[in-house]
Amino acid sequence: MKYILYILKAYFFLAYKIYWLNKIYTNRLFKELNIIPTIENSSLSKNLRKRIMFYTSQCYMSASWTCALRGEQLTQREKKNVIYLGAITPILDDLTDTLKLTSTEISYLLKNKKGEERPELKIARYLYEQLLSMHNKSFNDVFEEALIAQDASLQQLEERSLNENELKKIALDKGGMFTLLYRTVLETPLKKGEKDALITLGYVLQQINDMFDIYKDYINKQQTLFTNSKNITINYLDYKSNLSKLIFQFEKLDFEKKNIEKCLVEISTITSRGMVCLNQLLTLQKNESEFDIKKYTRKQLICDMEKVNNIKKSLFYSVSFYHQIKAANKK
């Protein structure tokens, strides 16, 4: 199939970065944390290490997209920033979701030591201080906005049913701000239109996260655009529309066309997974008047991307996305 080798190369290249290089850099962070006197070794539990590794991989992947876009690899300082930010993310999640702390409270605790503290908070403060040493005002501003977006996401656990517009805003703000935050730890200044493109990308990534977590969120009574959906076709059309918007916004950026294309192809390695998952959910609704999540089993709702057939489908959708990019280049 045309373009398949180019797409496969992008898949393997990104996998090498995420599963090999990121693992090396994150393990270096664990060693760094273990020699800091104020942080107990027990703070880095097996579960926390696993979650940090997951989030640093997400942050490293996002950084890889920017590298493709600008045509330059990460500097040594940027590598550290990426890992620091990825590592602090799951701890901030816990402070919000478990302790129900607001953005103002979290911000205060990161900046001020107060009495006996949770070990995780000590780690978060250390990571935050390393990130502040960049002296990057953009990071500071977006970090505060990301915390506020995290606040708003607590509405998803309320008993009252959130409507589609409310859920869209939560997904857009949270996904958009954290994707933008991942970008601010890199040294290259944002170009005109890049912020808007990244916010669209963040919304798409949040949709992917929510569709793959549909069963878990349903069990935990966390409302998302997918757990509350009565018609997956609407979700599908919204997702497709934002993928097209993403291509349009990236194509307008002031970067070399070949770099924009490479960046979008790398992004497609993730967005194509969303297409696989959405089509699985669409199949469930195929003979039903509406999507009723209560009717489906865990096996039916969870999309297993380790299945060979789903990997093949993902490659197919990446090739299809690449055709869209090529078509956009000709306009």
Side-chain angles (χ1 to χ4, degrees):
M1 187 185 291
K2 195 176 182 182
Y3 305 135
I4 191 66
L5 290 179
Y6 181 60
I7 300 296
L8 279 171
K9 182 180 177 182
Y11 269 74
F12 285 121
F13 184 64
L14 198 57
Y16 167 72
K17 285 187 172 183
I18 294 170
Y19 298 112
W20 180 250
L21 293 182
N22 176 70
K23 187 175 180 180
I24 291 173
Y25 300 139
T26 304
N27 281 330
R28 285 179 186 172
L29 171 65
F30 293 150
K31 291 179 181 178
E32 180 181 335
L33 293 174
N34 279 334
I35 62 174
I36 297 172
T38 56
I39 298 175
E40 299 89 344
N41 289 342
S42 59
S43 303
L44 288 167
S45 65
K46 185 177 180 180
N47 181 54
L48 182 56
R49 284 173 181 265
K50 183 178 179 181
R51 293 176 65 226
I52 285 176
M53 189 69 75
F54 172 77
Y55 278 95
T56 55
S57 71
Q58 303 305 298
C59 201
Y60 201 91
M61 176 173 58
S62 181
S64 177
W65 297 338
T66 300
C67 288
L69 196 58
R70 70 187 186 184
E72 297 174 2
Q73 293 304 309
L74 294 174
T75 65
Q76 289 302 314
R77 176 65 202 191
E78 285 176 331
K79 288 175 184 176
K80 285 194 170 186
N81 293 343
V82 166
I83 300 303
Y84 288 143
L85 181 56
I88 200 175
T89 304
I91 302 175
L92 296 180
D93 280 347
D94 288 345
L95 294 175
T96 301
D97 298 340
T98 306
L99 299 183
K100 302 296 186 289
L101 297 180
T102 66
S103 59
T104 303
E105 291 169 329
I106 291 173
S107 184
Y108 176 80
L109 289 173
L110 288 175
K111 297 170 185 175
N112 301 278
K113 185 176 180 181
K114 188 177 179 181
E116 289 297 317
E117 296 181 319
R118 295 169 65 94
E120 296 88 345
L121 183 56
K122 294 180 182 179
I123 296 175
R125 184 180 294 113
Y126 172 79
L127 297 170
Y128 181 64
E129 288 171 352
Q130 301 312 304
L131 289 165
L132 282 183
S133 67
M134 291 186 293
H135 303 293
N136 182 338
K137 187 178 184 300
S138 294
F139 169 78
N140 295 337
D141 293 343
V142 178
F143 185 82
E144 296 298 330
E145 289 185 64
L147 288 180
I148 292 170
Q150 188 88 330
D151 277 355
S153 69
L154 288 175
Q155 297 175 63
Q156 294 172 272
L157 296 169
E158 293 179 2
E159 288 188 14
R160 74 175 182 90
S161 181
L162 301 179
N163 62 45
E164 184 180 349
N165 289 333
E166 289 175 308
L167 290 169
K168 270 189 177 182
K169 187 176 189 314
I170 290 170
L172 179 65
D173 290 347
K174 186 177 180 181
M177 282 302 105
F178 273 94
T179 300
L180 186 60
L181 184 64
Y182 289 168
R183 173 64 178 83
T184 62
V185 296
L186 304 186
E187 295 163 356
T188 312
L190 285 165
K191 291 196 175 185
K192 182 181 178 181
E194 194 177 351
K195 178 179 178 180
D196 290 337
L198 289 170
I199 287 174
T200 300
L201 174 59
Y203 176 54
V204 168
L205 295 175
Q206 188 61 48
Q207 284 183 299
I208 295 170
N209 182 69
D210 290 344
M211 67 178 76
F212 275 92
D213 283 349
I214 185 171
Y215 179 77
K216 183 186 77 175
D217 289 339
Y218 170 64
I219 293 299
N220 293 334
K221 297 182 179 179
Q222 179 163 327
Q223 301 179 69
T224 71
L225 286 167
F226 292 87
T227 60
N228 286 25
S229 180
K230 297 300 179 185
N231 187 350
I232 293 295
T233 301
I234 294 175
N235 301 84
Y236 175 83
L237 292 174
D238 183 46
Y239 185 76
K240 288 279 288 181
S241 172
N242 278 282
L243 286 183
S244 297
K245 181 180 179 181
L246 188 66
I247 293 174
F248 176 79
Q249 289 177 316
F250 270 81
E251 290 292 345
K252 294 292 183 182
L253 298 180
D254 184 24
F255 291 100
E256 290 187 39
K257 289 297 180 183
K258 66 176 184 179
N259 290 346
I260 293 172
E261 182 178 290
K262 183 180 179 182
C263 174
L264 287 171
V265 167
E266 284 198 18
I267 289 172
S268 81
T269 64
I270 302 303
T271 59
S272 63
R273 292 162 64 93
M275 289 298 296
V276 175
C277 187
L278 271 171
N279 276 279
Q280 178 174 314
L281 296 175
L282 278 171
T283 301
L284 294 179
Q285 191 186 326
K286 189 174 182 181
N287 298 317
E288 304 284 347
S289 58
E290 67 175 26
F291 184 77
D292 186 354
I293 195 170
K294 296 190 297 294
K295 292 183 178 179
Y296 309 117
T297 65
R298 178 182 183 278
K299 185 176 180 180
Q300 288 176 305
L301 291 170
I302 291 180
C303 181
D304 184 357
M305 287 306 301
E306 292 186 4
K307 289 183 177 179
V308 174
N309 197 39
N310 283 343
I311 294 172
K312 288 180 180 178
K313 288 177 182 178
S314 180
L315 284 167
F316 169 80
Y317 287 123
S318 283
V319 171
S320 178
F321 189 74
Y322 191 44
H323 279 291
Q324 278 187 265
I325 298 168
K326 286 294 188 183
N329 281 336
K330 292 177 182 179
K331 291 181 181 179

